[in-house]
Amino acid sequence: MDDSPSRAPRSRRALLIALALGTAAAVPTTYALLSPDTDPASPTPPKLHLTHQLAAYVEDFPTHDGYRVPTRAERTAVATAVTETLRGDLKAAGRRLRNVNYRLRTTHLADSDRKVAEIAEPKATGRGWGRVYVDLSEPVRWMVQVPHPRSDLHTELIGADLFARVPGGVLVLAGAPRDAARGRTADMAHRSRTVFNAVCDVLVDRRIPALQVHGFADASSPGHDVVLSTGPAGRTPTASAAADRLAAEGFRVCRAWSRDCGQLEGRTNVQAGAAADLDVDFLHVENSHALREDPGARARLVTALSEVARRWSR
């Protein structure tokens, strides 16, 4: 647990004028949410600076009342659209998503130029169901999950950086703080009836392994920078190798399969349990507040975790 707080001709003409003048502010916002069956003559959306976009997205989270529990039909629709996206059927995914007021757009990452799909809901819905990013440049072989953005400070930046560094991934991001609703129903790591978990379920059913990123208060596990666990699965070769790699980057790692790590082991984590049931690799990565506050330390963390994701990609 962390310690930190209509595509009309006129619109198309306006966009072209804005581009000619270099005035990004004049660009109609509808172009930021192009669906896959958009007119091919429509202008291409700008490249995606993922860390900057997600930082702004999370900053706009409402403090309270920013989450609604989805119905089974709603969470199934988003999860099925993710499956269709993995199959390359973007038109079907886009149509399905519009039925639940989601949008699918394709764009390219600013740094690597890899093509990605963004599955997102409009900010003003107040539902807080989150976003999914799918790498379209090659087959998906791994995922990173961020269940507590803002509640676990900067974990969305870690997830974005990791997704951007390693091809063939999916980024699953929650859309509200953990305490955005009564009864902790917005706690994505401990609730199964969520869009977040429905997406994770269809991915683990395809035997796609996961890194799930968390944050803890420094006092919760004194002397440690990272608490690494597999949830209920215990020690695994992947977990041992990941711990060694993190240590090689200079991090003090608590290996939760061999000692007490301050009740940060993730044994009741819903996604960890699903992965263990199917014998699919899952790493629950808790990071100290001090680590997450330091951009250099975050970069070293992502360097280490990138090696884990690359092994899965191979």
Side-chain angles (χ1 to χ4, degrees):
M1 183 176 292
D2 194 18
D3 56 332
S4 50
S6 121
R7 297 186 296 272
R10 183 176 298 176
S11 295
R12 190 173 294 119
R13 181 181 177 186
L15 176 62
L16 294 173
I17 292 171
L19 290 174
L21 296 175
T23 53
V27 178
T29 56
T30 50
Y31 283 98
L33 290 172
L34 293 175
S35 62
D37 51 350
T38 297
D39 180 355
S42 296
T44 302
K47 290 185 179 181
L48 177 62
H49 294 268
L50 190 56
T51 53
H52 300 308
Q53 178 169 303
L54 294 192
Y57 172 61
V58 170
E59 182 67 24
D60 287 343
F61 280 179
T63 305
H64 299 290
D65 301 322
Y67 182 74
R68 173 175 74 75
V69 176
T71 65
R72 175 183 289 183
E74 289 168 332
R75 58 184 187 261
T76 298
V78 179
T80 302
V82 170
T83 299
E84 291 168 332
T85 301
L86 294 176
R87 293 201 305 254
D89 195 348
L90 302 186
K91 288 188 176 181
R95 288 192 296 269
R96 189 180 304 278
L97 289 166
R98 286 193 291 275
N99 291 332
V100 289
N101 197 22
Y102 260 74
R103 299 292 185 271
L104 186 153
R105 70 158 177 157
T106 58
T107 185
H108 292 81
L109 291 177
D111 296 330
S112 68
D113 205 37
R114 299 201 319 267
K115 187 177 180 180
V116 299
E118 177 189 70
I119 295 171
E121 59 180 342
K123 290 183 180 180
T125 62
R127 303 179 305 187
W129 296 346
R131 296 181 173 188
V132 183
Y133 293 85
V134 181
D135 190 343
L136 301 176
S137 67
E138 59 182 71
V140 165
R141 295 185 178 91
W142 70 280
M143 64 173 146
V144 56
Q145 305 167 357
V146 184
H148 301 143
R150 199 170 87 171
S151 299
D152 289 357
L153 185 68
H154 297 328
T155 51
E156 69 282 349
L157 303 183
I158 295 169
D161 191 7
L162 188 55
F163 176 83
R165 285 207 207 183
V166 185
V170 179
L171 168 58
V172 190
L173 178 72
R178 166 173 41 212
D179 55 356
R182 293 181 180 181
R184 303 297 286 270
T185 54
D187 185 346
M188 299 297 107
H190 295 94
R191 293 291 181 271
S192 60
R193 296 178 181 179
T194 67
V195 167
F196 181 94
N197 188 61
V199 171
C200 292
D201 271 354
V202 297
L203 293 169
V204 76
D205 283 348
R206 297 170 73 94
R207 307 199 62 78
I208 296 174
L211 289 155
Q212 189 176 97
V213 185
H214 293 263
F216 67 90
D218 294 347
S220 296
S221 189
H224 298 124
D225 303 305
V226 181
V227 174
L228 190 65
S229 70
T230 61
R235 180 176 180 173
T236 66
T238 296
S240 295
D244 291 344
R245 185 64 186 85
L246 287 162
E249 283 290 338
F251 295 115
R252 299 166 297 175
V253 183
C254 188
R255 294 161 168 83
W257 52 87
S258 61
R259 59 172 297 177
D260 177 21
C261 295
Q263 298 182 331
L264 296 168
E265 296 87 355
R267 294 193 179 98
T268 60
N269 183 286
V270 171
Q271 293 80 40
D277 287 346
L278 294 175
D279 196 25
V280 175
D281 268 339
F282 180 96
L283 293 181
H284 184 275
V285 190
E286 288 271 6
N287 305 282
S288 71
H289 181 263
L291 187 164
R292 288 174 287 117
E293 281 275 72
D294 182 345
R298 292 201 308 267
R300 289 189 292 114
L301 173 73
V302 172
T303 295
L305 296 179
S306 293
E307 292 200 10
V308 178
R310 287 192 181 97
R311 288 192 186 104
W312 286 332
S313 292
R314 290 195 293 268

